Amino acid sequence: MASFTLHGIPVSRGIAIGRAHLLAAAALDVKHYLIAEEQVEAEVQRLQNAFDTVHKELQVIWKDLPQDAPAELGAFLDVHALILSDPMISEVPLDIIRNRHYNAEWALVTQIDELSAQFDEIEDAYLRERKVDIQQVGERVLKVLTGSATALSGFTGSDELTAHMIVVAHDISPADMLQFRDHAFGGFITDVGGQNSHTAIVARSLDIPAAVGMYNASALIAQDDWIIIDGDAGVVIVEPTPMVLEQYRERQARLVRERKKLGKLKKTPAITRDGTEIALLANIELPEDCAAAMEAGAAGVGLFRSEFLFMGRTGYGKRLPSEDEQFESYRKAVLAMKGRPVTIRTLDIGADKPLDTAEETALNPALGLRAIRYCLAEPQMFLAQLRAILRASAFGPIKLLIPMLAHAFEIDQTLTMIEQAKAQLRTANKKFDPLIPVGAMIEIPAAALTLPMFVKRMDFLSIGTNDLIQYTLAIDRVDHEVAHLYDPLHPAVLYLLSSTISIGAKAGIPVAVCGEMAGDTKLTRLLLGMGLREFSMHPAQLLEVKQEILNSDLTVIAPQAKKILRTFEPAAINAAVEQLRLL
Ligand code: PEP
Ligand code: MG
């Protein structure tokens, strides 16, 4: 096949070279056709074989469950195995083939639709939600029937094999992306998505080259095509010529050598040339990421996105991790960081991080019931999380970080609930740090513009530039159609950033940046020049940012940064930021 190149949005650096592994979208739309009488039994057998394969798949997943997997995961697999064995699923579709001569896929979907409709009638909300399990089992069987690529959850390839596989999909949910941790895939390509969608963020945290917003890449790329991803440029080369392949292999080897060299900076303190100490912290999604944070020499965790403990639990509706399960995760993180502080952000669910992918979403989810708004609307769930975090604070330094605050009453209500959680723990005789610092994410323009409200009530601030940019510029961070307008250097964004940093400094409370801007070496000097002294980023970005810091002199940079803040022409801002890097 002839070579061709696709252009999209770069989201995770590096070069990946491997063969395409197409992930089919899990949809219940299938071919419908009638089969001849003499083929009926063969069609029945085809469906029966698919049932048997899925049974085996479920057994393999069961067997491979890690020791520390949440108990619910096993229960969820049990439910799927039970559904698969139920005659309503395992026999009725076979009868439909025999009686109505439907093809296997059609017969299966007909029965699943019928059962789903019956479930919709059930009054009990919990039982009604079991519909999702039935649909998921159906999708699993359909994937086998249609021969489409295995769902992620059923993926059983060995690491040796998967390391050279490039996953190509229309879209990958952040929860699905998390499953990639278990297999070292070579890279990711998706048709949709923006630079700071949570799927992109997880790809970056895995430190695997990725490109999103590739429009119809999943339709143009065929299974097993040779692929190069240039993660820095957002370029994908399909079926490259031997010469191009060779060039990229060389670049890949060079990048590996450069990374190795950076490893030497691990223990070097992050101090600028003029002697200013900078705190470099890590962003994590799961407690297991602490190992990478320690490995990169992070001074602590600046952002633990706790919602990743809650996501991808569609198999059992909205059943959330219990207080004890959460406590174990938070404790694991704080112990792994060996005395370095761990900043745990309370549940930031909603928008592109739904609790349940099958859940109905609001028309404008990014403006809807997400993050702290959701938590305040679900006080029992929020209190359970607060208690779990507080209990873990008895095992090491923890800070509480609250997402998406905009109103004074939200801050006050949150602080009251923290006190309530503390009182509950005192009654239960459970230990916790009574002086646990509480901070606010500054990620809504309204918050950045009303900082006195925050500095009065909070111990620290952390600027979430991903959302701050989204809400300031009215650009959906997930939408590739407007990704070109998502501009961290827009003067409005720079104004909000710098005023938050300087007002925080004047009030004497620490300000960090934990959005993606903090890990972008192109912006390190600009942020330093604005007065930022705390950066939180993916562990994989930390040493490069440190290198930039070691080479920076604030006495030279700060006056230039001030000039940039007085500039309102995008081209001039871009040129000046480039210039800063050369100083
Ligand atoms: C942010 O908004 O910048 C942030 C750090 O949080 P998240 O990306 O999880 O929304
Ligand atoms: Mg955010």
Side-chain angles (χ1 to χ4, degrees):
M1 200 177 77
S3 173
F4 61 95
T5 303
L6 300 168
H7 294 262
I9 302 164
V11 293
S12 187
R13 331 160 293 164
I15 308 258
I17 301 173
R19 284 194 183 273
H21 175 70
L22 289 183
L23 276 191
L28 290 183
D29 56 343
V30 294
K31 281 199 182 126
H32 297 60
Y33 53 87
L34 292 171
I35 40 178
E37 178 67 43
E38 58 276 18
Q39 277 162 5
V40 163
E41 275 318 305
E43 194 67 1
V44 165
Q45 196 52 50
R46 192 164 77 86
L47 184 52
Q48 187 60 56
N49 291 346
F51 285 141
D52 294 345
T53 305
V54 172
H55 255 303
K56 280 188 205 125
E57 264 184 24
L58 288 175
Q59 276 166 2
V60 170
I61 300 172
W62 229 121
K63 207 166 70 356
D64 291 347
L65 272 187
Q67 290 257 308
D68 58 351
E72 289 92 335
L73 216 54
F76 150 66
L77 289 171
D78 282 342
V79 168
H80 278 204
L82 269 176
I83 291 173
L84 196 58
S85 309
D86 192 292
M88 295 299 274
I89 292 282
S90 64
E91 284 172 22
V92 173
L94 304 182
D95 289 340
I96 296 178
I97 300 177
R98 289 192 186 99
N99 300 334
R100 297 193 228 164
H101 291 194
Y102 285 8
N103 62 310
E105 291 87 347
W106 187 5
L108 181 69
V109 170
T110 303
Q111 177 60 0
I112 285 173
D113 283 349
E114 170 66 29
L115 289 174
S116 299
Q118 288 175 17
F119 268 77
D120 283 338
E121 302 288 305
I122 298 176
E123 292 228 337
D124 181 291
Y126 178 77
L127 281 179
R128 202 167 51 238
E129 279 172 13
R130 298 309 89 219
K131 180 176 96 171
V132 177
D133 294 276
I134 292 181
Q135 288 173 336
Q136 286 180 343
V137 170
E139 283 176 18
R140 216 174 245 290
V141 178
L142 274 179
K143 284 205 176 97
V144 174
L145 276 176
T146 54
S148 52
T150 329
L152 282 180
S153 47
F155 200 88
T156 52
S158 74
D159 277 1
E160 210 183 318
L161 215 71
T162 52
H164 302 292
M165 246 181 213
I166 309 287
V167 174
V168 183
H170 177 67
D171 193 13
I172 303 173
S173 75
D176 278 346
M177 200 69 178
L178 267 192
Q179 297 192 36
F180 283 117
R181 278 162 200 274
D182 304 336
H183 296 285
F185 282 90
F188 309 102
I189 299 169
T190 60
D191 295 345
V192 297
Q195 178 137 37
N196 285 336
S197 64
H198 283 90
T199 301
I201 288 175
V202 178
R204 224 168 285 144
S205 80
L206 297 178
D207 197 19
I208 288 178
V212 303
M214 306 292 300
Y215 285 84
N216 51 355
S218 68
L220 295 172
I221 297 172
Q223 179 74 16
D224 294 327
D225 274 355
W226 272 102
I227 304 278
I228 297 173
I229 304 179
D230 180 340
D232 296 279
V235 166
V236 168
I237 304 167
V238 185
E239 292 289 294
T241 60
M243 209 170 78
V244 170
L245 199 59
E246 192 46 40
Q247 280 169 359
Y248 274 95
R249 282 204 198 285
E250 270 170 29
R251 266 183 67 185
Q252 198 180 30
R254 197 168 59 237
L255 283 175
V256 171
R257 283 197 301 275
E258 280 168 12
R259 288 265 183 114
K260 254 204 193 127
K261 248 200 248 160
L262 274 179
K264 295 199 181 109
L265 296 181
K266 219 166 76 182
K267 292 205 172 117
T268 313
I271 298 179
T272 57
R273 281 203 190 150
D274 56 290
T276 310
E277 202 168 331
I278 309 295
L280 296 183
L281 301 129
N283 289 358
I284 64 167
E285 276 96 42
L286 292 173
E288 294 77 53
D289 300 337
C290 287
M294 289 297 279
E295 182 56 31
V301 170
L303 173 66
F304 178 169
R305 289 184 162 95
S306 71
E307 54 277 10
F308 280 87
L309 299 172
F310 291 66
M311 284 153 56
R313 291 177 166 242
T314 49
Y316 28 94
K318 286 185 198 154
R319 207 184 312 154
L320 305 172
S322 66
E323 178 184 329
D324 283 347
E325 187 188 330
Q326 288 184 62
F327 162 65
E328 285 304 337
S329 298
Y330 305 141
R331 186 172 68 147
K332 202 163 148 190
V334 80
L335 291 178
M337 291 310 293
K338 299 190 167 55
R340 300 175 198 200
V342 176
T343 312
I344 302 178
R345 179 175 71 187
T346 54
L347 187 65
D348 183 2
I349 216 71
D352 68 329
K353 290 180 290 192
L355 260 191
D356 182 335
T357 42
E359 194 176 280
E360 254 182 66
T361 46
L363 210 52
N364 255 324
L367 305 182
L369 194 66
R370 62 169 285 204
I372 192 62
R373 304 167 185 179
Y374 182 93
C375 289
L376 293 176
E378 297 278 348
Q380 291 317 319
M381 183 224 65
F382 192 35
L383 279 170
Q385 180 174 40
L386 292 172
R387 285 193 304 268
I389 298 174
L390 282 163
R391 281 167 59 195
S393 72
F395 294 84
I398 289 187
K399 297 180 187 178
L400 257 172
L401 179 59
I402 315 296
M404 294 272 294
L405 288 165
H407 301 268
F409 77 86
E410 286 171 335
I411 311 177
D412 293 337
Q413 241 174 302
T414 303
L415 293 174
T416 305
M417 288 191 70
I418 295 171
E419 287 313 310
Q420 203 178 334
K422 286 181 182 172
Q424 289 170 341
L425 291 179
R426 274 191 204 101
T427 310
N429 246 334
K430 297 217 163 110
K431 286 204 186 98
F432 62 91
D433 170 8
L435 299 176
I436 191 166
V438 182
M441 296 275 301
I442 301 297
E443 51 184 345
I444 298 181
L449 292 166
T450 50
L451 286 167
M453 198 160 91
F454 288 83
V455 296
K456 199 171 113 192
R457 295 169 166 89
M458 290 287 172
D459 300 312
F460 66 97
L461 305 176
S462 191
I463 309 176
T465 48
N466 307 339
D467 278 315
L468 190 62
I469 299 168
Q470 152 163 279
Y471 296 123
T472 304
L473 303 180
I475 299 299
D476 186 342
R477 61 196 264 193
V478 184
D479 188 349
H480 62 284
E481 305 265 15
V482 287
H484 60 292
L485 301 173
Y486 187 95
D487 180 12
L489 292 180
H490 190 290
V493 174
L494 297 185
Y495 169 75
L496 293 177
L497 252 171
S498 79
S499 65
T500 304
I501 295 168
S502 59
I503 293 175
K506 271 191 208 121
I509 75 168
V511 179
V513 168
C514 64
E516 297 298 296
M517 281 179 83
D520 186 343
T521 47
K522 293 193 284 302
L523 305 176
T524 308
R525 290 193 174 179
L526 177 63
L527 293 171
L528 282 173
M530 285 181 180
L532 188 70
R533 301 292 176 259
E534 242 183 81
F535 295 63
S536 192
M537 66 204 82
H538 302 293
Q541 299 167 325
L542 205 136
L543 293 178
E544 251 180 275
V545 170
K546 190 190 278 188
Q547 191 174 43
E548 196 70 13
I549 287 168
L550 296 175
N551 292 329
S552 299
D553 184 338
L554 292 185
T555 56
V556 179
I557 287 171
Q560 298 304 321
K562 291 224 165 61
K563 266 195 208 158
I564 293 176
L565 294 172
R566 290 194 297 267
T567 310
F568 289 89
E569 282 310 317
I573 294 176
N574 278 296
V577 170
E578 277 291 311
Q579 199 59 37
L580 260 188
R581 300 192 71 202
L582 306 174
L583 292 176

